[in-house]
């Protein structure tokens, strides 16, 4: 765990090799570079542990699942290299999910914004509540969802990704996200969702681990080039975040929200 006053990475090990991986950054689970690095590393380490069968990826709290990039850290970026390093954090998390030999179940209790949509898309099977609306807000601040695009498009297709990316100030409902393929199941309450998540996790944990590994490879077919692709995308975002438009927009946001 990094910086226990703020950043949260917590593991809850359940019977049957099921592990809940909980991340957080109160109050809206914005992703800092430290949190992204730690999350990617934790997913990678869990993938190497034979006793682990299933990973449940979830965030802290009852409301927002993940609000995307930490605006404070975005505002502090002052050169292309530091911008690339920041956005490569999202690349590392997505690639750690992709390359993990474990089936990863997503648990989305509330809104997912920007990189949060990318995290949901990086899971193998994603559950959500009716409150889990999604938005790709990047264009509204002068950048684009370049790093997460391959993961999101893989789930919902280019046409639906285009709608999200271009309507950057609009939330799309959990039902819309399910219809497009981001979420597999939606529930009225978090308790109902948790029961379903654990039910599937327990069922999967009883299956042949080798079969699950082979299925995972099939689910992520044609993505071997992502190690390079997502870092190239991180450089694009790293350049855009230095634009005057983005700097001024972030400053205005800071002034408005104190």
């Amino acid at each position: 765990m990094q910086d226990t006053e703020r950043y949260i990475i917590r593991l809850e090990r359940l019977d049957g090799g099921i592990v809940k991986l909980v991340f957080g950054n109160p109050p809206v689970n914005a992703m800092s570079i430290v949190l992204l690095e730690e999350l990617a590393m934790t997913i990678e380490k869990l993938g190497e542990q034979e006793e682990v069968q299933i990973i449940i990826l979830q965030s802290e709290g009852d409301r927002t699942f993940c609000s995307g990039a930490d605006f404070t850290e975005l505002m502090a970026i002052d050169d292309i290299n530091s911008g690339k390093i920041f956005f490569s954090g999202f690349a590392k998390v997505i690639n750690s999910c992709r390359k993990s030999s474990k089936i990863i179940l997503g648990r989305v209790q509330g809104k997912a914004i920007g990189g949060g949509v990318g995290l949901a898309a990086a899971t193998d099977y994603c559950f959500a509540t009716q409150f889990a609306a999604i938005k790709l807000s990047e264009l509204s601040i002068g950048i684009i969802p370049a790093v997460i695009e391959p993961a999101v498009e893989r789930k919902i297709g280019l046409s639906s990704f285009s709608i999200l990316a271009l309507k950057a100030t609009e939330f799309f409902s959990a039902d819309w996200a399910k219809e497009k393929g981001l979420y597999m199941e939606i529930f009225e309450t978090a308790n109902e969702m948790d029961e379903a998540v654990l039910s599937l996790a327990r069922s999967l944990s009883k299956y042949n681990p080798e079969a699950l590994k082979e299925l995972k490879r099939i689910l992520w077919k044609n993505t071997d080039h992502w190690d390079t692709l997502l870092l190239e995308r991180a450089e694009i975002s790293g350049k855009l975040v230095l634009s005057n438009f983005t700097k001024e927009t972030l400053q205005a946001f800071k002034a408005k929200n104190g």
Side-chain angles (χ1 to χ4, degrees), residues 1 4 10 36 41 93 115 146 160 174 242 249:
M1 182 182 297
T4 55
R10 186 175 72 252
L36 288 166
M41 183 176 64
V93 173
S160 296
L242 296 174
T249 302

Side-chain angles (χ1 to χ4, degrees), residues 199-210:
S199 177
L200 180 58
R202 287 167 179 153
S203 294
L204 291 173
S205 70
K206 298 175 183 177
Y207 297 154
N208 181 355
E210 292 303 316

Side-chain angles (χ1 to χ4, degrees), residues 46-49 52-53 96-103 209 212-214 216-217:
L46 289 173
E48 297 169 351
Q49 297 174 14
V52 175
Q53 297 280 51
S96 66
C97 290
R98 173 180 66 86
K99 293 190 287 186
S100 175
S101 62
K102 315 301 180 182
I103 297 295
L212 291 174
K213 288 180 183 179
E214 293 300 327
K216 176 85 179 212
R217 292 191 184 100

